[in-house]
Amino acid sequence: MRLLRLVGFGLSGLIVNATLQIVPGATWTATNTGQHIQAHGAGIIKDGEKWYWIGEDKTNGTAFTNINCYSSTNLVEWSYEGALISRTASGDTGPDRVIERPKVMHNKRTGKYVLWAHIDSADYGEAKIGVAIGDSVCGKYSYLRSERPLGFESRDSGVFVDDDGKGYLLTEDRRNGLRINALSDDYLSVSSNVYVWKEKYESPAMIKHEGVYFMFASQLTGWSPNDNYYSTSTSLSGPWSSWQKFADSGSNTYASQTSFVLSVGDGYVYMGDRWHSENLMRSTYVWLPVEISGTTASMKNAVNWILDPGTGASRAGPKENMYEGETAELANGAISQACSSCSGSKAIGYIGGVPSGSATFSKVESSATTRTTLRIKHLNGDKQQRYAAISVNGKSQRAAFLPDGGGGPASSVVHVNVEQGVNEVKVGGVDEGWGPDIDRVFVPVE
Ligand code: DGJ
C-alpha cells in the first residue's frame, strides 16, 4: 500500500505544489495576514475545491475571542477568511468564556453547516457542548445553545460523519469516560448514547478506514503533552479494541495533542496541537502522516515532509542547502552576535528597526523549479510575534516569527518561488519594528 502510494506520487510529481513542505512546530504565517495562523484545537473540512481549517484563536490566551477559518488548495499555504463566531457582550460567547475544539460538519440533507464546540466557564466547571449553524462553511454562524449532552459532563469534543451520512458527536465525560453520541438527522441535537469507554481519554478524533473505525485520543494531562492512543472497532457501538499508542512511546506524541485526523486521497494526516500554556498564542501545529493499515495506526516524527494534496501520499523533506546567518552580507545596523544555542554559536541581530537592518544571502543555490519552502531558524525573546520581510530575487513577503519561549532557535517557514541556479534571499524588517534574530536558513536543493 505504502509502495503504491509512493509510486502514485511519482506519477503526479509534476504538480506545482509538490515541493511545499509541512514543518511541524514552526510558525505558519497566513498568506494574507502576515500573522501566525490562529486555529488551534481545530478540524478541517473540504468544501468544493478548498480545504477549510477551523479552530480557536488563542491570540489573547484561553478566553474566547474568535473561531477562525482559513482556506487552502494545497494544505500548506493558508489564507485567513474570517471568524465564524466572535466574542459577544454576554452569554456563552461573551467575555471570560472558554470555547474549544470547534468542529464543523456539512449536513447534506439540510445543506447547512453545523458547528459543535466545547463551551465552558473560565474554571472549566460548566462542562457543556455548544452548537451553531451556518449557511456556508466559512461564513458567519448563528450560535444556538449549549447543554450537557444527555445530561452528562462534556469537555473536549469532536465530530464524525459516517459513510451513510449519520452524524456523531464525541464528548469527554470526566465521570464516566469518552462517549460517542448519535446526532439527529439535521445534526443539531444529541439523540442517543452509542458507546462509552471506561478509560479516561480526551481530545477525540475519529476516522473510518476500509470498514474499521479508529478513535484517536489523548490522556488527561491538561496542556502538557502525553503519549496519545487509538482504539478500533468495526461497529461504533463496539466492541472496541484496547487502546494502543500510535507514535513513538515516550515521545509524548512528538510533543503534541490530537486534534483531528484528516483523510486526504488514500492517506491520513494527524493534526495535533503543541500547546504552550504560558503563552498560548505561540502554540504550533504538529501535522504528520499517519499510516493506517488493517486495524493499526502508526506515526513517525519528521522535521519537514511533503504531502501530495491530490493523492494523500507523503514523502520525506527535500535535500537542503543550509546558510548560516553569519555568512550573509549585513546592512543598516544588522550585526552578527553570540548565541550559545545557535548553530555556529552566532545569530544575526538588529534585523529591522531604523534604518532597516538586513541580512542578504546572495549565493543561495537551488535546482528547484517549483514553488518551495524555506525554513528559517530564529530567536525571538519577546512574548509577541516579530516580523520580517523575506525577499527572494526581489520578490518580498512578510513572515511571522513566534516567540522562542527560551528553548533555543525556533522555526518559521515561507513558501517562495526560487529559480534554478543562484538566488538572492534577503531578510529585512517590517514597518520599522525589530525582526527576529536569524540563526540560519535552509533552502531546498531540488
Ligand atoms: C486539555 C484539553 O484537551 C484542552 O483542549 C484544554 O481544555 C486543556 N485541557 C485545558 O487545560
Side-chain angles (χ1 to χ4, degrees), residues 71-361:
S71 70
S72 176
T73 54
N74 56 29
L75 291 164
V76 178
E77 296 171 291
W78 293 92
S79 309
Y80 181 60
E81 296 278 345
L84 309 190
I85 300 177
S86 295
R87 183 188 291 181
T88 51
S90 60
D92 278 354
T93 52
D96 298 320
R97 299 290 295 172
V98 164
I99 300 191
E100 292 176 348
R101 301 188 179 272
K103 302 284 181 299
V104 166
M105 346 165 55
H106 182 228
N107 190 298
K108 288 198 179 129
R109 284 187 189 210
T110 62
K112 301 286 186 190
Y113 295 83
V114 177
L115 182 153
W116 288 92
H118 172 196
I119 302 289
D120 227 318
S121 45
D123 64 359
Y124 289 87
E126 278 182 21
K128 290 184 189 164
I129 191 82
V131 60
I133 188 165
D135 291 327
S136 63
V137 63
C138 216
K140 292 289 169 208
Y141 281 57
S142 305
Y143 183 74
L144 300 178
R145 64 175 193 283
S146 65
E147 66 194 29
R148 283 196 167 177
L150 305 173
F152 298 103
E153 285 186 11
S154 174
R155 290 189 175 83
D156 281 0
S157 56
V159 297
F160 175 70
V161 178
D162 210 340
D163 305 331
D164 58 6
K166 284 209 173 78
Y168 297 87
L169 177 68
L170 317 169
T171 56
E172 189 262 318
D173 165 5
R174 197 62 52 95
R175 288 166 195 268
N176 302 291
L178 198 56
R179 292 179 174 273
I180 304 175
N181 308 277
L183 292 173
S184 55
D185 287 348
D186 59 8
Y187 299 168
L188 290 172
S189 52
V190 177
S191 48
S192 62
N193 177 67
V194 177
Y195 191 78
V196 188
W197 280 268
K198 298 283 168 257
E199 304 89 356
K200 302 284 182 206
Y201 288 97
E202 63 178 7
S203 75
M206 189 181 278
I207 57 162
K208 187 183 193 180
H209 177 75
E210 294 175 353
V212 180
Y213 299 93
F214 286 72
M215 177 72 137
F216 296 83
S218 77
Q219 303 174 73
L220 277 67
T221 54
W223 297 113
S224 306
N226 53 58
D227 283 345
N228 290 192
Y229 286 76
Y230 73 99
S231 170
T232 62
S233 175
T234 51
S235 162
L236 287 174
S237 56
W240 284 82
S241 72
S242 60
W243 293 86
Q244 311 285 331
K245 292 176 189 172
F246 56 95
D248 288 350
S249 190
S251 72
N252 292 333
T253 325
Y254 314 121
S256 73
Q257 183 184 28
T258 301
S259 185
F260 196 71
V261 180
L262 179 68
S263 159
V264 183
D266 289 336
Y268 294 91
V269 181
Y270 162 89
M271 300 179 162
D273 295 291
R274 182 170 292 163
W275 301 113
H276 291 291
S277 59
E278 86 297 343
N279 186 5
L280 281 168
M281 60 74 70
R282 77 175 190 94
S283 301
T284 58
Y285 310 101
V286 176
W287 291 8
L288 290 164
V290 51
E291 283 294 321
I292 307 284
S293 160
T295 56
T296 61
S298 65
M299 184 169 90
K300 287 289 169 199
N301 201 5
V303 168
N304 54 344
W305 61 285
I306 294 169
L307 172 68
D308 182 323
T311 65
S314 55
R315 64 184 166 107
K319 256 199 209 156
E320 294 169 303
N321 280 329
M322 189 264 280
Y323 298 90
E324 291 281 2
E326 49 274 26
T327 66
E329 285 157 41
L330 307 180
N332 295 335
I335 54 168
S336 175
Q337 52 189 21
C339 163
S340 57
S341 57
C342 294
S343 155
S345 301
K346 283 185 186 140
I348 303 308
Y350 295 87
I351 298 278
V354 184
S356 190
S358 65
T360 302
F361 303 85

